[in-house]
Amino acid sequence: MFTIRTVLGAIKCSSTHCWQKLGPTVKKFGNMTNVFVYGTLKKGQPNHHYMIDGTQGKGKYCGSGVTAEKYPLVVAGKYNIPFLLDEPGSGQEVSGEIYTIDAQLLQFLDEFESCPELYQRKQVKIRTVEWEASDKMLGVQPDADGMLLCFLYCTNTFDREWLKLPYYSNYDAFGKFGQPKYVLRECR
Ligand code: PCA
């Protein structure tokens, strides 16, 4: 079976296949984690389906937001992959979406994003822009100022040359905001 991957090569793909052997399936909404996605996992982007189709664990869209701090968001590497560089204070506030996800989907995303080698998962403050979470979200709620702590996948293991690339505030795999287009690929 072929799998479409966002990052790196075959070795990462085989680790993606391994997640299915790990632990029992989490069936209920419980032990949920807030994740902010700014790249290929957003709505309309090539890997979004993982966030909501239930095949890799449960995820629910809560709303949209921007990072409270500025970050450089670049499109880099052979496959034009989006990377939020862990250099708070430079770049722009980055737009994305907030999801509440279960432990199974969190584990899948860690492996899918080659965390912690390629990306590292870090908790940052997100300023919510639109919020559509209901009571079912088990208490996920921004504070009175609209702020919410969320995990995101950023990198501090990047090639320093990437700091010279153009910085974006919003990512689109199909080049809508002028970025180089994402290169879809198969691996086995
Ligand atoms: N996937 C993660 C990090 C970059 C990427 O393409 C995301 O969408 O936030």
Side-chain angles (χ1 to χ4, degrees):
M1 186 178 147
F2 295 136
T3 308
I4 305 291
R5 292 274 303 134
T6 49
V7 287
L8 296 189
I11 192 162
K12 299 303 175 196
C13 296
S14 56
S15 78
T16 298
H17 290 295
C18 291
W19 76 271
Q20 289 165 319
K21 296 177 197 141
L22 298 168
T25 308
V26 178
K27 296 231 166 61
K28 289 183 183 162
F29 268 83
N31 192 20
M32 303 298 284
T33 303
N34 303 334
V35 176
F36 175 80
V37 301
Y38 60 86
T40 61
L41 295 169
K42 288 191 299 186
K43 287 181 187 175
Q45 302 300 307
N47 299 315
H48 175 64
H49 58 102
Y50 293 124
M51 301 304 293
I52 49 146
D53 68 9
T55 58
Q56 314 289 352
K58 287 186 177 162
K60 190 104 176 107
Y61 176 78
C62 296
S64 62
V66 296
T67 56
E69 283 195 272
K70 295 176 176 176
Y71 286 93
L73 167 59
V74 301
V75 174
K78 194 163 130 194
Y79 301 110
N80 295 335
I81 293 172
F83 289 96
L84 191 144
L85 308 182
D86 192 8
E87 297 275 331
S90 63
Q92 307 178 50
E93 292 172 2
V94 172
S95 298
E97 297 169 355
I98 301 151
Y99 291 80
T100 184
I101 68 172
D102 72 4
Q104 186 183 354
L105 184 53
L106 184 64
Q107 181 169 359
F108 169 79
L109 291 180
D110 280 357
E111 294 184 17
F112 187 70
E113 302 297 1
S114 300
C115 176
E117 294 82 15
L118 185 64
Y119 291 91
Q120 296 80 45
R121 180 156 53 80
K122 182 177 166 181
Q123 216 171 17
V124 302
K125 216 190 255 185
I126 300 300
R127 184 190 312 280
T128 56
V129 174
E130 278 172 356
W131 190 254
E132 58 173 64
S134 64
D135 289 350
K136 283 190 208 139
M137 303 293 179
L138 295 175
V140 182
Q141 197 67 39
D143 69 14
D145 298 324
M147 297 295 192
L148 185 71
L149 272 181
C150 297
F151 282 102
L152 57 67
Y153 292 93
C154 60
T155 181
N156 58 28
T157 51
F158 61 90
D159 177 347
R160 304 300 292 179
E161 284 294 303
W162 291 3
L163 286 165
K164 298 180 191 157
L165 292 169
Y167 299 164
Y168 302 99
S169 62
N170 208 338
Y171 172 76
D172 179 66
F174 310 101
K176 192 162 126 196
F177 304 113
Q179 299 91 345
K181 291 183 187 158
Y182 179 71
V183 181
L184 267 183
R185 61 212 172 278
E186 285 179 346
C187 55
R188 51 208 93 202

